[in-house]
Amino acid sequence: MLDWQIPINKIHEKHCSKIEKGADDTLLYHYTSPAGLLGICKNSAFWLSDSDFLNDSSESAYFYNIFQEVVHSEDDERKKEKIFKFNAGMFSLYHASFHTSHRETAQRIKETRYILSMSLDRDNINLWNYYTKNDHSLGYSIGMRKDAFEYLYRHDEDESLLAGKVIYDPDKQMQLLTELCEDYWKLYLTLQHTYQRNYLYEKMEDNIVRYSVFMKNPVFAHENEYRIAVVRLGSNATQERLFREMNGAFIPYITQPINLLDIVEIGISPTHRTEFVTRSLEELLEAKGINATIYNSEVPLRY
């Protein structure tokens, strides 16, 4: 590593560490439908959906707006000049994906994010309400230790796997992004060569991408979400991009293999507490060799 790269890498790692990962024994819960649970058990894999097609369709726009607010938060001329020099190249490329008129170009340069939504809550009424919207009004919560995902973590030139708690607090979001811009700006002033500044832009963009994955509108704070995310650069792909139908739309996704033995708990939604449902779940887990505790939701039903 060259001497001039060291401070840039330190700033990059500093902001990577701002995404909270929690203790290794933290339990994460994936709420899903009966068909979803059956698919996971049959295929030993989760589905990670393209973030452009998540339930919150405004998610990307939300991050774009708060980042714009940070970048343009001061009106003095020096700050305007700084903003232009520092962000012109990197910022325009990163946000090309938000402009449908440049869709073809955006597909070549954008980062595609595939998201697996987990929750830190074992028995969340809001998530039960969402994942029991099926013919049987039944849902399940799959509990796994966070460290079960550690062996999945990867980072190479074209694809990386990220994990951490979602940040909902707008003040914290603004603080982190403001600090990010200021940290890289100070380093930018010390660099004399284009190749050095390009390296800085790369590292900063990586931090921006990470923050974009883990920052959401505070109206979703009740989900207490923990995310596993695969970020794929440009059109490069290490595996096939698949599609599933949902409410008449076609949702792009990729698969992420898991070890079914890492499942430690499975919760049954408050809409069904019957012996028949519990017994059928026990049969499925036994057939798949899954030694998981089964529990019923304690959320009281209201009619």
Side-chain angles (χ1 to χ4, degrees):
M1 184 184 302
L2 301 174
D3 288 345
W4 60 268
Q5 291 177 319
I6 293 175
I8 298 175
N9 290 338
K10 284 184 177 179
I11 291 299
H12 177 261
E13 290 303 318
K14 168 188 171 181
H15 285 278
C16 288
S17 69
K18 297 291 185 179
I19 306 300
E20 294 183 43
K21 296 188 182 301
D24 286 344
D25 60 353
T26 299
L27 286 182
L28 307 177
Y29 297 90
H30 179 66
Y31 288 75
T32 188
S33 65
L37 173 59
L38 184 60
I40 290 166
C41 290
K42 287 174 64 176
N43 301 306
S44 298
F46 282 121
W47 289 0
L48 281 68
S49 299
D50 186 329
S51 64
D52 286 347
F53 296 87
L54 291 177
N55 300 327
D56 174 18
S57 59
S58 65
E59 186 171 312
S60 294
Y62 175 79
F63 179 80
Y64 173 72
N65 289 334
I66 61 172
F67 191 37
Q68 281 276 51
E69 188 175 344
V70 167
V71 169
H72 298 288
S73 60
E74 295 183 26
D75 295 328
D76 62 275
E77 291 303 315
R78 188 194 65 80
K79 184 69 177 286
K80 288 181 179 179
E81 181 180 0
K82 167 182 118 175
I83 291 168
F84 175 79
K85 288 181 178 179
F86 189 56
N87 294 289
M90 176 276 297
F91 190 73
S92 62
L93 287 178
Y94 176 74
H95 291 294
S97 59
F98 291 105
H99 305 292
T100 55
S101 59
H102 301 298
R103 186 70 180 176
E104 184 177 345
T105 301
Q107 285 302 115
R108 293 197 300 269
I109 63 173
K110 70 172 285 193
E111 294 83 8
T112 306
R113 304 158 187 79
Y114 295 94
I115 305 294
L116 172 64
S117 293
M118 312 287 284
S119 177
L120 292 163
D121 291 344
R122 186 174 188 259
D123 199 8
N124 187 308
I125 186 172
N126 296 288
L127 294 174
W128 284 132
N129 285 337
Y130 184 83
Y131 286 101
T132 55
K133 293 179 180 177
N134 52 67
D135 292 341
H136 308 290
S137 299
L138 176 61
Y140 295 94
S141 174
I142 304 171
M144 302 179 69
R145 283 165 51 104
K146 184 188 77 69
D147 58 3
F149 294 95
E150 293 294 337
Y151 71 95
L152 304 176
Y153 290 3
R154 61 185 179 273
H155 188 88
D156 56 39
E157 185 177 351
D158 298 324
E159 190 172 284
S160 58
L161 194 146
L162 312 174
K165 299 178 183 179
V166 170
I167 302 167
Y168 297 102
D169 183 352
D171 291 335
K172 184 174 182 180
Q173 293 169 352
M174 295 286 286
Q175 176 189 344
L176 290 172
L177 293 176
T178 298
E179 188 177 342
L180 174 77
C181 290
E182 290 178 350
D183 286 344
Y184 278 103
W185 170 244
K186 291 174 184 175
L187 289 177
Y188 178 89
L189 294 176
T190 68
L191 304 176
Q192 304 297 320
H193 303 288
T194 301
Y195 67 87
Q196 294 175 331
R197 291 179 172 180
N198 286 341
Y199 182 81
L200 179 144
Y201 286 144
E202 260 181 47
K203 292 297 183 181
M204 181 182 181
E205 183 176 6
D206 184 74
N207 285 135
I208 293 172
V209 169
R210 289 169 185 266
Y211 280 143
S212 74
V213 169
F214 296 105
M215 291 186 180
K216 286 188 68 173
N217 193 309
V219 300
F220 296 101
H222 59 267
E223 296 177 350
N224 201 12
E225 186 176 353
Y226 191 105
R227 285 189 160 179
I228 311 295
V230 170
V231 179
R232 181 177 292 171
L233 303 181
S235 59
N236 297 305
T238 58
Q239 62 169 288
E240 182 183 0
R241 180 174 163 96
L242 305 171
F243 292 85
R244 61 187 174 92
E245 183 275 334
M246 186 176 72
N247 299 326
F250 304 102
I251 312 300
Y253 74 94
I254 60 174
T255 59
Q256 180 61 66
I258 61 165
N259 186 342
L260 294 179
L261 299 180
D262 288 328
I263 297 175
V264 296
E265 291 185 348
I266 296 186
I268 302 174
S269 63
T271 49
H272 275 70
R273 297 187 174 116
T274 67
E275 182 182 345
F276 179 78
V277 168
T278 301
R279 186 156 50 86
S280 71
L281 178 57
E282 289 172 344
E283 290 288 331
L284 174 63
L285 299 186
E286 183 179 355
K288 294 296 180 180
I290 302 172
N291 184 24
T293 300
I294 297 174
Y295 65 93
N296 288 303
S297 167
E298 297 181 359
V299 172
L301 286 179
R302 294 180 180 179
Y303 296 96

